[in-house]
Amino acid sequence: MNTLQLEGNWQKMKGAAQEQWGKLTDDDIDRIVGKRDKLIGAVKERYGITQQEAEREVNEWSTKYEQ
């Protein structure tokens, strides 16, 4: 899923993101607003993982929602 698809579908996908990464707060979800880089940053910060690992997780997660 590309960045535009993520942004366009964020209202539907934000619950799935919170389910996937339970440590993301409501404030995190509100700040992300469908921006891939912000989602990666929030996952990295909340889980204490590397940038590359966060990118891998977000990429794997987002492929579930490709149309």
Side-chain angles (χ1 to χ4, degrees):
M1 173 174 292
N2 67 36
T3 301
L4 290 177
Q5 289 172 317
L6 183 62
E7 288 178 28
N9 293 316
W10 186 243
Q11 287 301 315
K12 291 187 269 183
M13 295 179 64
K14 64 185 182 180
Q18 253 185 328
E19 187 175 309
Q20 176 74 26
W21 297 287
K23 291 183 182 180
L24 294 180
T25 66
D26 289 338
D27 287 341
D28 291 332
I29 295 296
D30 290 342
R31 275 193 301 272
I32 292 166
V33 293
K35 302 288 186 192
R36 183 181 209 80
D37 60 330
K38 289 184 179 185
L39 176 57
I40 291 168
V43 170
K44 176 184 169 193
E45 180 182 321
R46 292 286 177 217
Y47 286 88
I49 59 177
T50 66
Q51 179 78 17
Q52 291 172 328
E53 182 66 15
E55 287 175 3
R56 185 188 62 74
E57 286 190 19
V58 169
N59 288 340
E60 287 178 4
W61 172 78
S62 68
T63 60
K64 296 178 199 175
Y65 300 97
E66 289 181 351
Q67 299 172 345

